[in-house]
Amino acid sequence: MTDYRRLRVALLGAGAVGSQVAALLRQHADELADRAGARLELVGIAVRDVDAKRDADLPRELFTTDAESLILGADIVIELMGGIDPARAYVLQAINSGADIVTANKALLATHGPEIFDAADQVGAEVYYEAAAAGAIPIIRPLRDSLAGDRVQRIMGIVNGTTNYILDRMDAEGAEFGDVLADAQRLGYAESDPTADVEGYDAAQKAAILASLAFHTTVPLDAVHREGITGIDKSMMDAARHAGYVIKLLAVCERLNGGEGVSRYGAERPLDDRVSDGTESISVRVYPALIERGHPLASVHGANNAVFVQAEAAGNLMFYGAGAGGVQTASAVLGDVVSAARRHIAGGVGVGESTLANLPIVPIGRVTTRYQITLEVDDQPGVLATVAGILSEGRVSIATVEQTVAGEEADIARLVIGTHKALEQDLSETVDRLAASGVVERVVSVLRVEGN
């Protein structure tokens, strides 16, 4: 057996992912030592309750409630507690003690990433977080390293397995949202409180991380426009299917090339203070959107995730796989642990985050995309002309229109209108005018069309 240097590894948290990480560290110790060039010794696991039931069979003597002592004796600290506090304090303590950090904590990085990365830079440590954006899918290293010499133009990602599972079943089975959500909770795909998933908070955190990497710009979480899927119902799924689309919750991060409507988020000026100096900017947003059924993201089923990257030189790249799950996510965590160990053996300071581009972030009102608008209108002559006139006045151009009878109401028709590209602000104001026009009984839905 090779006589490797020993590196002390502390684990914070022993939930679904943490338990699997600990088990794999022990089970594959010799193999990991050969890959890392160092023996990775799990010296302890900090938890709130040492007697709680775990997802893996681990020696009780590994567990402790004294996280601080464990941190101070470690070379590498794996943080899998989740949440902001006390994870933030522990991570900063570990960095200041000279340890490298491996984390899957998307909420922590999306909220306090700049503080954590700056602390690591100050002491020459490094923060690894492959598992924070898309579970087992390797996307952080490709964005941070492999595409560092390219210009990423756009990222579209399905980055939340719970919502993809729900929307996929609604599409395939014609089921209603509430019924599928209840099934997802019974199967363990959704938490008892599913708010973080179904309202888009989880996806927004991941979008902030991905955009920060892709565009070398710090993206605050509150700069990410967020909408969830609770308003999606069977009729919207049916209309999407009829038009050749599928509905997915998307994280969209894109580079916008200069011009009108740019706002400098975080500057002294307010967010809606426009500049028009041709400055390149970015948009980061999460919402349910229509995608053509031929697009690669449309074929992502169940609880899987996928990230579609468009780069200037590399072209289109697709990353697909399990977006969650204890053992799957543990794979990404252990990859980071091996990388951290190799850095310790090689020596030198950690590689800092590249956020010097500092691109302005555009608010949602300045984004341009296509839309599908579904209206219930009075079934009378001249109504379609009135609707078309309101859209034209609002600078929203009609691409397609389909009229059907709305259910059992003989005097109500349903219009499904597809638009050409329009400014979000113009579209929003126009929909408000439609709702108040007198000929529109109800705005059923407004969905953006992404993918081309």
Side-chain angles (χ1 to χ4, degrees):
M1 182 182 295
T2 305
D3 185 18
Y4 288 118
R5 173 183 167 186
R6 184 175 71 99
L7 292 178
R8 297 159 299 178
V9 179
L11 175 61
L12 310 182
V17 179
S19 293
Q20 293 298 329
V21 167
L24 292 171
L25 273 171
R26 290 167 52 80
Q27 181 180 347
H28 301 304
D30 291 342
E31 191 173 352
L32 290 171
D34 290 339
R35 295 176 190 175
R39 183 157 294 279
L40 302 171
E41 181 183 351
L42 181 61
V43 294
I45 307 170
V47 293
R48 287 192 296 267
D49 180 3
V50 298
D51 295 316
K53 186 178 179 180
R54 313 292 175 196
D55 291 346
D57 185 17
L58 297 166
R60 190 181 186 280
E61 59 266 22
L62 277 177
F63 293 96
T64 178
T65 58
D66 187 358
E68 294 189 6
S69 296
L70 193 63
I71 288 168
L72 293 176
D75 300 300
I76 300 170
V77 174
I78 307 172
E79 185 279 305
L80 298 174
M81 303 174 66
I84 305 299
D85 294 312
R88 171 178 166 271
Y90 288 154
V91 164
L92 290 173
Q93 181 185 29
I95 289 171
N96 290 329
S97 73
D100 280 346
I101 300 297
V102 174
T103 181
N105 194 333
K106 53 192 172 290
L108 178 64
L109 293 178
T111 308
H112 295 286
E115 177 189 18
I116 290 168
F117 294 129
D118 182 63
D121 286 344
Q122 295 298 319
V123 299
E126 190 160 346
V127 180
Y128 299 84
Y129 53 101
E130 185 63 72
I137 300 173
I139 186 62
I140 299 300
R141 283 188 187 85
L143 288 176
R144 185 173 60 182
D145 301 327
S146 304
L147 294 172
D150 207 336
R151 283 170 58 85
V152 174
Q153 300 293 345
R154 197 165 201 250
I155 295 174
M156 285 201 307
I158 297 170
V159 295
N160 182 272
T162 300
T163 52
N164 198 62
Y165 173 83
I166 292 170
L167 294 175
D168 187 45
R169 280 196 53 193
M170 289 177 70
D171 174 64
E173 302 172 14
E176 289 287 2
F177 172 83
D179 295 334
V180 181
L181 173 59
D183 285 345
Q185 289 172 317
R186 282 194 294 271
L187 293 169
Y189 289 128
E191 302 288 344
S192 57
D193 180 1
T195 302
D197 293 322
V198 300
E199 293 294 355
Y201 290 101
D202 176 86
Q205 292 164 356
K206 295 171 180 176
I209 293 170
L210 293 174
S212 297
L213 280 172
F215 305 124
H216 308 283
T217 295
T218 297
V219 177
L221 184 56
D222 54 1
V224 180
H225 177 82
R226 176 197 54 79
E227 298 174 26
I229 66 168
T230 53
I232 305 298
D233 60 20
K234 183 179 181 298
S235 68
M236 295 165 71
M237 282 290 183
D238 292 342
R241 189 182 309 107
H242 181 74
Y245 295 112
V246 63
I247 300 175
K248 298 288 188 181
L249 182 72
L250 294 182
V252 182
C253 317
E254 65 180 336
R255 186 187 301 268
L256 305 175
N257 292 315
E260 182 180 359
V262 175
S263 68
R264 297 187 181 277
Y265 189 92
E268 293 181 359
R269 287 177 287 176
L271 182 59
D272 59 358
D273 183 20
R274 313 287 182 229
V275 297
S276 55
D277 57 3
T279 305
E280 194 174 61
S281 61
I282 60 175
S283 166
V284 189
R285 54 201 192 265
V286 168
Y287 46 51
L290 298 167
I291 294 186
E292 291 183 358
R293 288 188 174 265
H295 193 282
L297 289 177
S299 62
V300 178
H301 300 299
N304 286 313
N305 282 187
V307 181
F308 191 77
V309 179
Q310 295 170 288
E312 189 175 86
N316 295 338
L317 305 169
M318 179 85 159
F319 302 84
Y320 170 87
V327 69
Q328 294 91 342
T329 305
S331 169
V333 172
L334 287 173
D336 280 344
V337 173
V338 170
S339 294
R342 288 172 176 168
R343 193 190 79 76
H344 270 273
I345 297 304
V349 299
V351 178
E353 296 299 297
S354 172
T355 57
L356 298 179
N358 195 28
L359 296 176
I361 303 173
V362 172
I364 187 66
R366 306 308 301 173
V367 170
T368 299
T369 189
R370 296 187 295 134
Y371 301 86
Q372 184 190 78
I373 308 167
T374 302
L375 306 172
E376 288 184 356
V377 301
D378 296 332
D379 191 10
Q380 299 176 3
V383 168
L384 181 56
T386 300
V387 169
I390 293 172
L391 288 167
S392 178
E393 291 170 5
R395 299 180 293 280
V396 179
S397 174
I398 295 176
T400 61
V401 62
E402 181 175 353
Q403 179 173 333
T404 58
V405 175
E408 299 177 355
E409 298 291 337
D411 57 344
I412 299 294
R414 176 165 290 195
L415 295 179
V416 179
I417 301 168
T419 78
H420 293 291
K421 285 189 174 182
L423 195 65
E424 174 89 17
Q425 180 175 310
D426 290 342
L427 188 284
S428 179
E429 293 172 353
T430 300
V431 169
D432 287 343
R433 287 197 292 271
L434 286 170
S437 65
V439 300
V440 174
E441 295 293 328
R442 183 167 72 100
V443 177
V444 178
S445 65
V446 178
L447 287 171
R448 302 163 183 91
V449 181
E450 296 286 357
N452 52 20

